[in-house]
Amino acid sequence: MFGITVRSEKEDKRIPIAVASDVMFDVQLLLTHIGESFIAEEFGSHDRPAEALAERFTLYIDPESGGISFKASAGKGQSALMDKAAAKLMMTLEKMGSGSGTYWMEDSYNDPRYRCMVLYDLMQLSKHMASDRGYTLLFGTDGKENKFEPLDLGKAQAFLDRNGKIAKGSVAGILNGARTKRNAPMYGFVVGEDRVKISFRSKDAEGDASRYVNGPVVLKGTLKYSDDGELLEVSDIESAEPFNVKMFRHMISAERDIPLAASVGALVGYDSGTMLWKVSYPDLGISSSDQDWDTAVAGFHDYFVFLCDNYSDTGKELSDEEKEVKELLDSLTGGAE
């Protein structure tokens, strides 16, 4: 449980509906974008998560508390992902309201897409909580309150314009290759529906990449995004590795999410003829395919959660094969399911 309260510093202490509405909207966007960043990191998403997945971060007004207070409700049962997002929301308000600045944002939000979204949300909140408006934002958990100090909007905007959309990192996609008339290698890189410009740090790095042409690879370098969150370029590439395994630590469906006690290494395949991604885990009989990576990986997570739900009925009579599946699921989830 966490609370967000707006306090009036004016004589009559009343808070206009418009001010309350602005703050509610800002906080909702912050929580949604923070939550989406966790899903995108887990999935290796090319695009923003589907709406059905992001709905778990919806906030509801708590009628039992005063001021503007919220009670989180997401999916069926307890949501570890919601708890994680709420904790990072509180940390973000605390750090950015205490003058930690954009260096903290760079360290805490590795994905430039969500770093920019969250910083923009904070800038909007700062405008609505500007000191000359006469209102104060208090936030906290378990009855402890902190005061949010509005950001320096000029510095925040300068960071967004300068390097908010750039970060060192890794990205998976399809590496295409061909040779020019002079027999020089020429490469293309496709991430989702975007064709991305690439350049290598060294001939060695380029040589490594050449071994994986026309297949899925993970490139490590400097990522540059557009204002709209489109990946434009991967420069200074230092390494290229085949993308044949995707590790998952948290299974997420529209209904609920399951933290894993042991990471699941799903096999990744790509058919260049049909442009079809395949994500599978043979030991559990899970396989999900689609031309869109985000859809394929979401299907994998849905299947895993379905199996957990199906085998959580302790009164169900199981065959020897089904017992093996349940034992494996228990080992991966810590027996919580």
Side-chain angles (χ1 to χ4, degrees), residues 43-50 174 191-194 269-271 274-279 288-300:
F43 282 20
S45 299
H46 295 158
D47 298 310
R48 290 178 63 180
I174 304 301
V191 178
E193 297 182 352
D194 301 328
Y270 182 77
D271 188 318
T274 59
M275 295 187 292
L276 200 68
W277 288 98
K278 181 179 180 181
V279 188
S288 176
S289 302
D290 200 275
Q291 289 185 329
D292 176 63
W293 164 260
D294 290 12
T295 302
V297 75
F300 181 93

Side-chain angles (χ1 to χ4, degrees), residues 8 26 54 90 121 125-126 173 204 247 254 301 305 313 318 324:
S8 174
D26 294 338
M90 294 293 104
D121 295 339
L125 180 60
S126 296
D204 288 341
M247 302 301 296
H301 280 243
V305 173
D313 184 358
L318 301 177
E324 291 180 4

